[in-house]
Amino acid sequence: MAEQKKNVDIKCGSVFPFPFLVLGAVFFIAGAAVFVTHPVISIVLIVAGVVILTAYEGTEINPASRTYREYNSFLFIKKGKAKKYNGIEKIFINKAKVSQRVYTAHTSNSAIFTDTEYNAYLKFNEGEKVFLFSGKNKTKLLKRLNDISRSLNTQVVDNTGWN
């Protein structure tokens, strides 16, 4: 009997930006610090901190049933609606320039920092594209995508050129 393919779980990253993750850590530490004197407040702070710190998003693909779902996970519980697909055409990456304007303290001076980011997508035969994840290191991104492409029996196409 042939072995069933397992679900492919592709984690994208945290749901919350870095400042909120710091806030989640502060909630958790503050909740632990006041546990003896204010247990109800402590539990609320700890739960809020854990929810923030464990929140992430991703895509889960089930090749056996030909379904996928984009999900958000809170407290390791994944929420997302499964959708059917006929087949996977390819996995591809694109290059994008990202810019961030940073202001100095107490002045109106600013600096713009520009960087290159690589975005990975999954394209189904129906033409629908799903964002998988992004990264600044192309080599690491391609290694991770090659592992995923073997699991899904598809190819990785690099649309970024040689750089």
Side-chain angles (χ1 to χ4, degrees):
M1 185 169 167
E3 185 179 319
Q4 285 286 336
K5 288 185 180 178
K6 295 186 173 155
N7 286 353
V8 178
D9 189 6
I10 306 164
K11 293 179 179 149
C12 179
S14 179
V15 172
F16 298 107
F18 182 74
F20 281 96
L21 295 177
V22 172
L23 183 65
V26 168
F27 283 172
F28 184 81
I29 292 167
V34 299
F35 184 74
V36 174
T37 57
H38 299 90
V40 175
I41 293 171
S42 173
I43 291 171
V44 171
L45 287 172
I46 289 172
V47 169
V50 170
V51 167
I52 292 170
L53 292 172
T54 63
Y56 66 93
E57 57 189 350
T59 305
E60 189 174 56
I61 302 161
N62 185 335
S65 65
R66 290 185 175 252
T67 59
Y68 75 96
R69 70 175 173 159
E70 296 175 277
Y71 65 83
N72 287 326
S73 174
F74 297 94
L75 297 173
F76 307 107
I77 300 169
K78 298 175 186 174
K79 295 287 183 184
K81 193 168 182 95
K83 299 176 187 174
K84 285 257 189 219
Y85 69 87
N86 290 328
I88 297 172
E89 183 179 324
K90 64 184 174 182
I91 296 173
F92 66 96
I93 64 171
N94 291 337
K95 183 166 50 170
K97 293 273 189 198
V98 291
S99 298
Q100 181 179 13
R101 182 181 295 263
V102 178
Y103 291 92
T104 58
H106 306 294
T107 66
S108 61
N109 296 336
S110 67
I112 298 175
F113 296 96
T114 305
D115 205 357
T116 301
E117 192 171 83
Y118 299 95
N119 299 318
Y121 297 89
L122 177 69
K123 185 175 181 184
F124 296 104
N125 288 344
E126 301 85 25
E128 184 172 353
K129 297 173 200 142
V130 175
F131 175 76
L132 297 177
F133 55 88
S134 64
K136 293 182 180 178
N137 187 320
K138 183 178 173 182
T139 306
K140 286 182 183 177
L141 187 113
L142 282 171
K143 183 184 179 319
R144 186 172 172 200
L145 286 177
N146 285 327
D147 294 341
I148 293 167
S149 72
R150 279 193 293 280
S151 299
L152 297 175
N153 195 23
T154 190
Q155 64 179 342
V156 175
V157 177
D158 184 354
N159 295 331
T160 65
W162 295 104
N163 300 9

